Amino acid sequence: QVQFVESGGGLVQPGGSLRLSCAASGASYTSLGMAWHRQAPGKEREFVAQILRDGKIYYRETVQGRFTISTDNIKTSVYLQMNDLKPEDSAIYYCNYVPKKPDWGQGTQVTVSS
């Protein structure tokens, strides 16, 4: 059974930073990597960043240069360092494997507001 546990969200002022963490289990043997996604109220869930087993990293254009994805074990954990946060980054952030599994965790809420 696939499980994801996200943490590290919170309320931060514009320009601030947060570091998200994700612990994953259950499907690492089929995955090519791990990724972060987010969903803002009233919007579709969207891709944020991914890191693959071969070391390749991809970012959503709007977070490029501000967010950094990393891992210390690509089978079970992924992190997202978020700097220079903007109000439009406010969302619930989720992690998942690459390719995505249908199961999702509870996510972690990020709110950027003054």
Side-chain angles (χ1 to χ4, degrees):
Q1 183 178 356
V2 177
Q3 288 187 321
F4 303 102
V5 179
E6 302 92 348
S7 62
L11 172 63
V12 63
Q13 292 186 343
S17 298
L18 285 172
R19 185 174 188 260
L20 306 184
S21 299
C22 166
S25 62
S28 61
Y29 59 94
T30 63
S31 73
L32 301 177
M34 296 195 72
W36 285 97
H37 304 261
R38 67 188 182 187
Q39 186 169 21
K43 295 188 177 181
E44 295 290 318
R45 187 176 286 152
E46 63 184 21
F47 166 81
V48 176
Q50 71 179 28
I51 183 166
L52 303 180
R53 289 178 184 262
D54 62 3
K56 292 181 179 177
I57 291 175
Y58 301 91
Y59 294 100
R60 181 176 195 81
E61 185 176 354
T62 55
V63 308
Q64 181 81 44
R66 300 187 297 120
F67 290 11
T68 302
I69 189 170
S70 63
T71 180
D72 50 21
N73 184 331
I74 202 164
K75 295 181 181 180
T76 61
S77 62
V78 65
Y79 307 97
L80 188 67
Q81 177 67 43
M82 306 187 296
N83 298 328
D84 189 23
L85 282 160
K86 304 177 185 301
E88 52 264 40
D89 295 319
S90 296
I92 300 175
Y93 283 69
Y94 303 88
C95 62
N96 207 313
Y97 288 111
V98 177
K100 284 184 292 186
K101 299 300 181 184
D103 309 84
W104 293 88
Q106 294 297 309
T108 186
Q109 176 73 52
V110 172
T111 303
V112 185
S113 174
S114 55

